Amino acid sequence: MLYAGYHLYRGDDGTWRYSAPGDTFVRVRGDDRLLEIVQRVEVTGSNAGLNDDDALAVARVRDALVGQGVVVNGEASPAPDRAWRVHLAGDGPVAEQLIPLVGGVQLTRGTVDEQAVKCADVLVCCAQWLPDRDWQLVDDWCRDHCTPWHGCYAEGTQVVIGPLSIPGRTANYRDTRGRRLAAAGRPDELLAHWSYLDSEMAKPSPPWTAGAAAVAAGLIALDLAALRVGAPAPSEGFQLVFDPGTAAISRHPVLPLPQLAGVVRRTDRA
Protein backbone atom coordinates (compact mmCIF):
# COMPACT_ATOMS: atom_id res chain seq x y z
CA MET A 1 0.00 0.00 0.00
CA LEU A 2 1.25 3.46 -0.88
CA TYR A 3 1.56 6.03 1.88
CA ALA A 4 -1.23 8.59 1.95
CA GLY A 5 -0.63 11.32 -0.62
CA TYR A 6 1.91 9.31 -2.66
CA HIS A 7 1.41 8.16 -6.25
CA LEU A 8 3.46 5.76 -8.40
CA TYR A 9 2.94 6.22 -12.15
CA ARG A 10 4.44 6.23 -15.65
CA GLY A 11 4.97 9.71 -17.02
CA ASP A 12 4.25 10.99 -20.50
CA ASP A 13 7.88 10.38 -21.44
CA GLY A 14 7.54 6.69 -20.57
CA THR A 15 9.66 6.81 -17.42
CA TRP A 16 8.34 6.03 -13.96
CA ARG A 17 8.26 8.35 -10.99
CA TYR A 18 6.54 8.80 -7.69
CA SER A 19 5.01 11.99 -6.37
CA ALA A 20 4.99 12.96 -2.72
CA PRO A 21 3.15 15.68 -0.81
CA GLY A 22 4.58 19.15 -1.34
CA ASP A 23 5.04 18.96 -5.14
CA THR A 24 7.86 16.43 -4.87
CA PHE A 25 8.52 14.27 -7.96
CA VAL A 26 11.19 11.55 -8.04
CA ARG A 27 12.13 9.41 -11.05
CA VAL A 28 12.18 5.66 -10.47
CA ARG A 29 14.50 3.42 -12.49
CA GLY A 30 13.57 -0.17 -13.09
CA ASP A 31 11.94 -2.68 -15.38
CA ASP A 32 8.81 -1.15 -16.88
CA ARG A 33 6.75 -4.36 -16.59
CA LEU A 34 7.71 -4.93 -12.97
CA LEU A 35 6.93 -1.36 -12.00
CA GLU A 36 3.54 -1.69 -13.65
CA ILE A 37 2.90 -4.83 -11.59
CA VAL A 38 4.03 -3.07 -8.40
CA GLN A 39 1.70 -0.17 -9.15
CA ARG A 40 -1.23 -2.56 -9.57
CA VAL A 41 -0.38 -4.54 -6.43
CA GLU A 42 0.02 -1.45 -4.24
CA VAL A 43 -3.12 0.26 -5.52
CA THR A 44 -5.43 -2.78 -5.53
CA GLY A 45 -3.80 -4.75 -2.73
CA SER A 46 -3.94 -7.94 -4.83
CA ASN A 47 -0.99 -9.96 -6.14
CA ALA A 48 -3.12 -12.68 -7.68
CA GLY A 49 -1.70 -14.21 -10.86
CA LEU A 50 1.99 -13.55 -10.13
CA ASN A 51 4.36 -16.42 -10.81
CA ASP A 52 7.20 -17.14 -8.39
CA ASP A 53 9.85 -15.31 -10.40
CA ASP A 54 7.72 -12.20 -10.75
CA ALA A 55 6.77 -12.30 -7.08
CA LEU A 56 10.45 -12.28 -6.07
CA ALA A 57 11.29 -9.46 -8.47
CA VAL A 58 8.28 -7.43 -7.37
CA ALA A 59 9.29 -7.95 -3.72
CA ARG A 60 12.75 -6.48 -4.46
CA VAL A 61 11.24 -3.43 -6.16
CA ARG A 62 8.76 -3.04 -3.34
CA ASP A 63 11.53 -3.22 -0.72
CA ALA A 64 13.34 -0.41 -2.51
CA LEU A 65 10.20 1.73 -2.44
CA VAL A 66 9.70 0.92 1.25
CA GLY A 67 13.23 2.21 1.85
CA GLN A 68 12.29 5.47 0.12
CA GLY A 69 9.20 5.86 2.31
CA VAL A 70 6.80 5.46 -0.62
CA VAL A 71 5.25 2.12 0.28
CA VAL A 72 3.93 1.07 3.68
CA ASN A 73 5.82 -1.86 5.14
CA GLY A 74 3.98 -4.70 6.85
CA GLU A 75 0.38 -5.81 6.98
CA ALA A 76 -2.62 -3.77 8.01
CA SER A 77 -3.24 -3.46 11.73
CA PRO A 78 -5.53 -6.15 13.11
CA ALA A 79 -9.07 -5.18 13.95
CA PRO A 80 -9.61 -4.33 17.62
CA ASP A 81 -11.07 -7.09 19.74
CA ARG A 82 -13.97 -4.86 20.76
CA ALA A 83 -15.79 -1.87 19.37
CA TRP A 84 -14.39 1.55 20.17
CA ARG A 85 -16.82 3.32 22.47
CA VAL A 86 -17.74 6.90 21.60
CA HIS A 87 -20.20 8.88 23.71
CA LEU A 88 -21.69 11.81 21.80
CA ALA A 89 -23.40 14.62 23.67
CA GLY A 90 -25.44 17.25 21.86
CA ASP A 91 -28.21 17.19 19.28
CA GLY A 92 -27.22 20.10 17.03
CA PRO A 93 -26.13 20.02 13.38
CA VAL A 94 -22.51 19.15 14.14
CA ALA A 95 -23.51 16.08 16.16
CA GLU A 96 -25.88 14.89 13.44
CA GLN A 97 -23.26 15.26 10.72
CA LEU A 98 -20.59 13.59 12.84
CA ILE A 99 -22.53 10.33 13.28
CA PRO A 100 -22.00 8.93 9.77
CA LEU A 101 -18.32 9.91 9.92
CA VAL A 102 -17.54 7.66 12.90
CA GLY A 103 -18.83 4.36 11.59
CA GLY A 104 -17.70 1.05 13.04
CA VAL A 105 -17.80 2.24 16.64
CA GLN A 106 -20.07 1.60 19.59
CA LEU A 107 -21.88 4.95 19.70
CA THR A 108 -23.94 6.13 22.65
CA ARG A 109 -25.75 9.45 22.85
CA GLY A 110 -27.21 11.57 25.61
CA THR A 111 -26.21 13.86 28.41
CA VAL A 112 -22.82 13.52 30.04
CA ASP A 113 -22.42 12.16 33.54
CA GLU A 114 -19.49 10.51 35.25
CA GLN A 115 -20.69 7.01 34.35
CA ALA A 116 -20.83 7.90 30.65
CA VAL A 117 -17.28 9.27 30.85
CA LYS A 118 -16.05 6.19 32.69
CA CYS A 119 -17.50 3.79 30.09
CA ALA A 120 -16.34 5.67 26.98
CA ASP A 121 -13.07 5.43 25.08
CA VAL A 122 -13.63 9.01 23.96
CA LEU A 123 -16.24 11.68 24.65
CA VAL A 124 -17.45 14.27 22.14
CA CYS A 125 -19.50 17.29 23.27
CA CYS A 126 -21.21 19.33 20.55
CA ALA A 127 -22.64 22.43 22.23
CA GLN A 128 -24.61 25.34 20.82
CA TRP A 129 -22.76 27.97 22.86
CA LEU A 130 -19.90 27.51 25.34
CA PRO A 131 -21.20 25.62 28.44
CA ASP A 132 -18.38 26.77 30.72
CA ARG A 133 -19.71 25.39 34.01
CA ASP A 134 -20.61 21.98 32.56
CA TRP A 135 -17.35 21.61 30.67
CA GLN A 136 -15.28 22.25 33.78
CA LEU A 137 -17.08 19.32 35.40
CA VAL A 138 -16.65 17.17 32.29
CA ASP A 139 -12.96 18.05 32.30
CA ASP A 140 -12.61 16.82 35.87
CA TRP A 141 -14.40 13.53 35.12
CA CYS A 142 -12.28 12.92 32.04
CA ARG A 143 -9.09 13.63 33.99
CA ASP A 144 -10.14 11.26 36.79
CA HIS A 145 -10.98 8.41 34.36
CA CYS A 146 -8.25 9.16 31.75
CA THR A 147 -10.90 9.60 29.05
CA PRO A 148 -9.96 11.76 26.03
CA TRP A 149 -12.60 14.26 25.00
CA HIS A 150 -13.32 16.66 22.18
CA GLY A 151 -15.82 19.48 21.79
CA CYS A 152 -17.11 22.31 19.67
CA TYR A 153 -19.35 25.33 20.10
CA ALA A 154 -20.35 28.56 18.39
CA GLU A 155 -18.75 31.86 19.28
CA GLY A 156 -20.23 34.83 17.50
CA THR A 157 -20.40 33.74 13.86
CA GLN A 158 -17.47 31.33 14.17
CA VAL A 159 -17.15 27.69 15.17
CA VAL A 160 -14.62 26.70 17.84
CA ILE A 161 -13.30 23.13 17.74
CA GLY A 162 -11.30 21.58 20.57
CA PRO A 163 -8.68 21.46 21.69
CA LEU A 164 -8.80 17.67 21.87
CA SER A 165 -7.97 16.81 25.48
CA ILE A 166 -5.91 13.66 26.10
CA PRO A 167 -5.29 13.36 29.85
CA GLY A 168 -1.62 13.36 30.71
CA ARG A 169 -0.62 14.39 27.19
CA THR A 170 -2.32 17.60 26.08
CA ALA A 171 -3.94 20.70 27.50
CA ASN A 172 -7.46 20.24 28.82
CA TYR A 173 -10.44 22.58 28.98
CA ARG A 174 -9.39 24.17 32.27
CA ASP A 175 -5.97 24.95 30.75
CA THR A 176 -7.65 26.48 27.70
CA ARG A 177 -10.04 28.45 29.89
CA GLY A 178 -7.24 29.76 32.10
CA ARG A 179 -5.07 30.84 29.21
CA ARG A 180 -7.96 32.62 27.54
CA LEU A 181 -8.82 34.54 30.68
CA ALA A 182 -5.15 35.48 31.14
CA ALA A 183 -5.00 36.85 27.60
CA ALA A 184 -8.32 38.70 27.77
CA GLY A 185 -8.35 42.47 28.01
CA ARG A 186 -11.49 42.29 30.19
CA PRO A 187 -11.59 38.87 31.87
CA ASP A 188 -14.46 40.04 34.09
CA GLU A 189 -16.62 40.67 31.02
CA LEU A 190 -15.67 37.29 29.57
CA LEU A 191 -16.67 35.55 32.81
CA ALA A 192 -19.94 37.44 32.88
CA HIS A 193 -20.68 36.41 29.30
CA TRP A 194 -19.91 32.75 30.04
CA SER A 195 -22.17 32.96 33.09
CA TYR A 196 -25.00 34.22 30.88
CA LEU A 197 -24.43 31.39 28.41
CA ASP A 198 -24.63 28.93 31.33
CA SER A 199 -28.00 30.36 32.43
CA GLU A 200 -31.47 29.24 31.41
CA MET A 201 -32.24 32.57 29.74
CA ALA A 202 -33.31 32.40 26.09
CA LYS A 203 -30.34 32.43 23.74
CA PRO A 204 -30.43 32.68 19.95
CA SER A 205 -29.55 29.62 17.89
CA PRO A 206 -26.01 29.64 16.50
CA PRO A 207 -25.85 31.03 12.96
CA TRP A 208 -24.40 27.84 11.57
CA THR A 209 -25.04 26.72 8.03
CA ALA A 210 -25.06 23.05 7.09
CA GLY A 211 -21.68 23.60 5.46
CA ALA A 212 -20.13 25.08 8.61
CA ALA A 213 -21.44 22.18 10.68
CA ALA A 214 -20.03 19.71 8.14
CA VAL A 215 -16.56 21.30 8.36
CA ALA A 216 -16.60 21.10 12.17
CA ALA A 217 -17.81 17.49 12.10
CA GLY A 218 -15.13 16.55 9.57
CA LEU A 219 -12.33 18.09 11.62
CA ILE A 220 -13.47 16.27 14.75
CA ALA A 221 -13.79 13.00 12.82
CA LEU A 222 -10.19 13.29 11.59
CA ASP A 223 -8.97 13.64 15.17
CA LEU A 224 -11.08 10.69 16.34
CA ALA A 225 -9.80 8.46 13.54
CA ALA A 226 -6.19 9.19 14.52
CA LEU A 227 -6.91 8.76 18.22
CA ARG A 228 -8.52 5.37 17.56
CA VAL A 229 -5.34 3.93 16.03
CA GLY A 230 -2.95 5.64 18.42
CA ALA A 231 -1.63 8.17 15.90
CA PRO A 232 -1.11 11.88 16.62
CA ALA A 233 -4.34 13.76 15.99
CA PRO A 234 -4.17 16.40 13.21
CA SER A 235 -5.22 19.19 15.59
CA GLU A 236 -3.36 17.88 18.63
CA GLY A 237 -2.17 20.75 20.80
CA PHE A 238 -4.30 23.32 18.99
CA GLN A 239 -7.74 24.88 19.22
CA LEU A 240 -9.27 25.43 15.79
CA VAL A 241 -11.52 28.35 14.91
CA PHE A 242 -13.46 28.10 11.66
CA ASP A 243 -14.90 31.26 10.11
CA PRO A 244 -17.66 30.32 7.62
CA GLY A 245 -17.62 33.86 6.22
CA THR A 246 -14.05 33.55 4.94
CA ALA A 247 -13.59 29.75 4.93
CA ALA A 248 -10.48 30.34 7.09
CA ILE A 249 -9.36 27.94 9.82
CA SER A 250 -7.13 29.43 12.52
CA ARG A 251 -4.94 27.18 14.66
CA HIS A 252 -4.25 28.45 18.18
CA PRO A 253 -1.65 26.48 20.19
CA VAL A 254 -2.75 25.57 23.70
CA LEU A 255 -0.22 24.31 26.25
CA PRO A 256 -1.02 22.89 29.69
CA LEU A 257 -0.82 25.42 32.48
CA PRO A 258 2.15 24.97 34.82
CA GLN A 259 1.38 23.05 37.99
CA LEU A 260 1.71 25.42 40.94
CA ALA A 261 2.99 24.21 44.27
CA GLY A 262 0.15 23.32 46.59
CA VAL A 263 2.06 24.08 49.79
CA VAL A 264 3.95 27.24 50.63
CA ARG A 265 6.54 26.77 53.38
CA ARG A 266 6.43 29.46 56.06
CA THR A 267 9.69 30.68 57.52
CA ASP A 268 9.80 32.10 61.03
CA ARG A 269 11.59 35.33 61.68
CA ALA A 270 13.92 35.66 64.58
Side-chain angles (χ1 to χ4, degrees):
M1 181 175 65
L2 297 170
Y3 272 102
Y6 284 74
H7 299 272
L8 176 66
Y9 57 97
R10 184 192 291 111
D12 292 338
D13 58 359
T15 62
W16 285 80
R17 68 261 289 148
Y18 68 80
S19 65
D23 285 345
T24 299
F25 305 95
V26 179
R27 291 184 182 273
V28 179
R29 294 182 179 180
D31 183 89
D32 181 83
R33 187 180 67 87
L34 289 178
L35 285 167
E36 189 171 15
I37 295 173
V38 171
Q39 181 195 48
R40 173 174 57 82
V41 169
E42 298 306 324
V43 171
T44 66
S46 173
N47 59 1
L50 290 184
N51 58 45
D52 291 343
D53 290 340
D54 279 349
L56 289 173
V58 165
R60 287 195 294 270
V61 175
R62 188 182 188 281
D63 287 345
L65 292 172
V66 168
Q68 293 296 315
V70 180
V71 173
V72 178
N73 194 19
E75 301 296 329
S77 301
D81 56 3
R82 64 167 178 81
W84 204 52
R85 298 166 300 193
V86 178
H87 185 78
L88 176 60
D91 55 3
V94 178
E96 296 304 320
Q97 298 210 41
L98 181 61
I99 292 173
L101 302 181
V102 292
V105 304
Q106 180 181 326
L107 181 69
T108 56
R109 299 193 65 182
T111 57
V112 183
D113 56 23
E114 188 170 8
Q115 185 63 25
V117 169
K118 181 179 179 180
C119 295
D121 289 307
V122 64
L123 168 71
V124 181
C125 297
C126 297
Q128 300 290 308
W129 303 99
L130 177 64
D132 178 58
R133 183 177 58 241
D134 289 346
W135 277 17
Q136 290 184 69
L137 185 57
V138 167
D139 211 41
D140 293 341
W141 287 334
C142 287
R143 179 202 59 213
D144 293 343
H145 296 286
C146 293
T147 302
W149 78 284
H150 216 327
C152 69
Y153 60 91
E155 186 168 276
T157 59
Q158 299 178 325
V159 184
V160 179
I161 301 106
L164 169 65
S165 172
I166 306 174
R169 187 165 118 193
T170 69
N172 55 26
Y173 174 68
R174 286 186 180 273
D175 294 324
T176 307
R177 181 182 190 273
R179 289 193 177 279
R180 182 157 184 201
L181 287 171
R186 291 293 304 273
D188 55 334
E189 291 292 344
L190 198 55
L191 286 171
H193 180 59
W194 290 347
S195 178
Y196 157 69
L197 295 177
D198 276 332
S199 71
E200 297 300 324
M201 298 177 65
K203 297 183 284 287
S205 297
W208 292 354
T209 63
V215 170
L219 292 170
I220 293 172
L222 287 172
D223 284 344
L224 296 182
L227 189 64
R228 186 179 185 185
V229 299
S235 76
E236 189 167 318
F238 291 85
Q239 184 178 70
L240 308 182
V241 178
F242 172 57
D243 185 345
T246 62
I249 299 177
S250 303
R251 289 166 56 89
H252 303 284
V254 183
L255 296 173
L257 288 172
Q259 297 297 314
L260 301 179
V263 177
V264 177
R265 179 176 298 175
R266 186 181 65 186
T267 56
D268 295 328
R269 291 185 177 182

